[in-house]
């Protein structure tokens, strides 16, 4: 099946009336093609529609279908889902830290350390390739003992040696390229902003160089704006109940394209998740709001947390509310109707929500999908009035009246790309400064 990505078009107007315009060609209703197919077929096909965060898509799909059908996976299947979801998030964060952030910062003359880092990319690219292979190996090994993403999946028994080998490579990449130490040790010894700066000054990894480049270029507050996060994952069950009627009514397509909660655009990112945990990121947000340094620290903290947990046995995903995939089922006295379920997963870029309606059936195996809808983090974060748009508005305002200077226009574009990279869309984008 073809990938359903689409593209974002981001335009900064820097004339006398500076403005930001974000439009999307993402096929937000494409999941409707799944209607009429057996639930098990949909659970197998849906992740193939997405080239990014396929594991999060599979988890959200499985949980939504289980909620609709009243099923529950075996503990080993739940464990496998959680392990692979953490590994996917770690892999995505490694990509951002080792490849995307250095490239974005290198466009700025003020971030000289990042310019040097971008020029020394071969080792990081090789490390990232090894991490990608390890993730694919882990996914393949976990599938050999049974499909953990099948709704109501039974017990699975993957080869332990293959799982341990893949986890070791991911952990080693994080140690060598990011933390310069064991991930759990970094997390325990870096609870404050001062600790982060001391670590960055004393560590020779590419990630430490990013922290030095951001602070040295005076970009710690860059992109700061007033956009509240979605409720923390610990409150996500209540959030799903709030979203349920919005995803079911006649205006659901418009809501999915530009979602709001209580009338406001919201943010759902690693920063939002780590802010709810307190500690390092909360301390940085107190000083810099949702600026660039807190976003970078959130990637580091979440990568450390997920990497440290890759080696731990997950007895029950619900023991970790920040990482849990949460589901709600339609109850007889709700407006959802029968055989409807919502499932959520904390994807690398934010909260991913699936809604499925299935046909009543004598057995779960004979149930078919009636309707399928997906609310992705990109639609929250790249909302026309959301965190990216508001952060870019300050850049557009700063560039007003400077169009005569080509160098100034290039600098504004570099800043804009840095902000977009920091929030991170799950699709390609086209950026123009006009």
């Amino acid at each position: 099946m073809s990938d359903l990505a689409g593209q974002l078009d981001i335009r900064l107007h820097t004339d006398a009336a500076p403005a930001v315009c974000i439009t999307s060609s993402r096929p937000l209703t494409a999941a409707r093609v799944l209607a009429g197919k057996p639930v098990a077929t949909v659970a197998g096909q849906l992740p193939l529609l997405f080239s990014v965060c396929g594991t999060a898509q599979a988890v959200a799909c499985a949980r939504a279908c289980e909620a609709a059908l009243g099923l529950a996976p075996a503990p080993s299947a739940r464990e496998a889902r959680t392990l692979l979801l953490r590994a996917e998030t770690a892999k995505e964060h490694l990509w951002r830290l080792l490849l995307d952030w250095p490239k974005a910062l290198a466009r700025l003359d003020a971030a000289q350390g990042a310019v040097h880092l971008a020029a020394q990319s071969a080792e990081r690219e090789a490390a990232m390739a090894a991490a990608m292979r390890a993730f694919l190996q882990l996914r393949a090994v976990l599938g050999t003992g049974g499909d953990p993403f099948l709704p109501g999946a039974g017990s699975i028994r993957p080869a332990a040696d293959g799982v341990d080998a893949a986890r070791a490579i991911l952990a080693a990449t994080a140690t060598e390229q990011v933390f310069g130490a064991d991930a759990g040790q970094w997390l325990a010894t870096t609870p404050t902003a001062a600790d982060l700066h001391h670590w960055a000054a004393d560590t020779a990894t590419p990630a430490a160089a990013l922290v030095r480049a951001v602070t040295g270029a005076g970009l710690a507050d860059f992109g700061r704006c007033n956009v509240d996060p979605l409720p923390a994952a610990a409150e996500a069950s209540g959030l799903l109940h709030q979203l349920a009627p919005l995803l079911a009514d006649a205006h659901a397509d418009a809501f999915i394209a530009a979602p709001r909660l209580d009338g406001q655009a919201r943010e759902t990112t690693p920063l939002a998740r780590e802010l709810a945990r307190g500690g390092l990121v909360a301390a940085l947000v107190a000083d810099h709001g949702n600026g660039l340094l807190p976003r970078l620290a959130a990637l580091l903290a979440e990568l450390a947390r997920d990497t440290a947990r890759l080696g731990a046995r997950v007895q029950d995903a619900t023991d970790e509310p920040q990482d849990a995939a949460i589901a709600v089922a339609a109850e007889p006295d709700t407006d959802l109707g029968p055989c409807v379920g919502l499932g959520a997963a904390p994807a690398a870029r934010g909260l991913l929500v699936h809604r499925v309606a299935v046909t009543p059936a004598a057995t779960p195996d004979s149930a078919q999908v009636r309707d399928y809808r997906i609310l992705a983090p990109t639609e929250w974060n790249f909302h026309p009035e959301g965190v990216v748009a508001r952060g870019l508005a300050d850049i557009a305002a700063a560039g007003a009246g400077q169009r005569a200077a080509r160098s100034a226009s290039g600098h504004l574009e570099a800043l804009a790309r840095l902000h977009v990279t920091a929030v991170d869309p799950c699709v390609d984008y086209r950026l123009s400064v006009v």
Side-chain angles (χ1 to χ4, degrees):
M1 302 184 73
S2 60
D3 179 55
L4 299 180
Q7 187 181 61
L8 296 172
D9 184 49
I10 305 171
R11 295 172 65 86
L12 275 70
H13 298 269
T14 59
D15 52 19
V20 176
C21 179
I22 300 178
T23 57
S24 173
S25 66
R26 282 163 55 75
L28 300 177
T29 62
R32 304 275 176 81
V33 302
L34 302 172
K37 296 185 178 183
V39 168
T41 299
V42 168
Q45 289 183 347
L46 188 141
L48 303 179
L49 296 174
F50 302 92
S51 60
V52 177
C53 291
T55 298
Q57 297 284 355
V59 170
C61 175
R63 298 300 287 128
C65 292
E66 287 164 351
L69 295 171
L71 300 175
S76 60
R78 187 188 302 116
E79 180 180 335
R81 293 176 188 178
T82 302
L83 173 61
L84 196 55
L85 185 58
R86 286 176 179 165
E88 179 176 81
T89 298
K91 178 257 297 181
E92 292 292 323
H93 288 358
L94 283 168
W95 189 288
R96 305 287 89 70
L97 292 166
L98 300 184
L99 302 180
D100 289 351
W101 276 67
K103 181 179 179 181
L105 277 165
R107 294 188 177 99
L108 298 172
D109 293 338
Q112 289 300 316
V115 172
H116 176 73
L117 185 61
Q120 306 293 325
S121 62
E123 181 180 351
R124 298 195 315 280
E125 290 173 357
M128 191 64 239
M132 289 288 292
R133 289 193 296 270
F135 172 74
L136 294 175
Q137 176 188 342
L138 180 62
R139 187 171 69 181
V141 170
L142 287 174
T144 59
D147 184 0
F149 299 108
L150 185 69
S155 296
I156 65 167
R157 294 177 175 83
D161 290 348
V163 172
D164 291 342
R167 291 192 294 198
I169 293 172
L170 287 167
T173 304
T175 295
E176 296 165 7
Q177 296 291 324
V178 177
F179 302 115
D182 173 79
Q185 177 186 348
W186 183 90
L187 201 60
T189 57
T190 318
T192 69
D195 293 324
L196 179 70
H197 292 301
H198 291 154
W199 166 78
D202 295 341
T203 305
T205 64
L210 291 177
V211 174
R212 296 194 299 270
V214 167
T215 55
L219 295 171
D221 288 60
F222 174 70
R224 182 174 185 168
C225 59
N226 294 320
V227 176
D228 291 333
L230 283 177
E235 306 165 14
S237 181
L239 171 62
L240 290 189
H241 281 290
Q242 282 186 270
L243 295 177
L246 299 172
L247 292 171
D249 70 16
H251 304 290
D253 290 347
F255 172 75
I256 289 171
R260 296 173 180 268
L261 187 65
D262 298 327
Q264 301 296 320
R266 299 295 187 100
E267 172 177 350
T268 174
T269 58
L271 172 63
R273 287 195 292 251
E274 286 297 321
L275 177 60
R277 297 181 192 275
L280 172 63
V281 172
L284 289 168
V285 167
D287 291 335
H288 306 291
N290 59 355
L292 197 62
L293 184 59
R295 293 193 185 280
L296 178 55
L299 285 183
L300 292 168
E302 193 163 73
L303 174 61
R305 202 178 313 278
D306 283 335
T307 303
R309 289 175 177 170
L310 284 178
R313 180 175 175 81
V314 183
Q315 299 293 345
D316 187 337
T318 59
D319 289 341
E320 298 289 350
Q322 291 287 354
D323 298 328
I326 304 131
V328 295
E331 299 174 358
D333 59 348
T334 70
D335 295 330
L336 292 179
C339 301
V340 176
L342 270 71
R349 293 162 181 81
L351 186 69
L352 175 68
V353 179
H354 285 206
R355 177 193 184 273
V356 64
V358 303
T359 58
T363 66
D365 290 342
S366 60
Q368 293 185 332
V369 168
R370 289 190 291 113
D371 184 57
Y372 209 106
R373 299 177 185 183
I374 298 174
L375 176 58
T378 294
E379 276 57 67
W380 290 105
N381 298 330
F382 287 80
H383 186 287
E385 299 175 9
V387 65
V388 170
R390 293 191 187 183
L392 292 178
D394 288 341
I395 300 172
Q402 297 183 18
R403 287 206 57 197
R406 179 174 299 179
S407 60
S409 178
H411 180 68
L412 292 174
E413 181 176 341
L415 287 172
R417 289 190 182 278
L418 177 58
H419 183 51
V420 172
T421 297
V423 178
D424 189 14
C426 64
V427 295
D428 192 16
Y429 69 92
R430 180 174 56 192
L431 174 70
S432 56
V433 179
V434 297

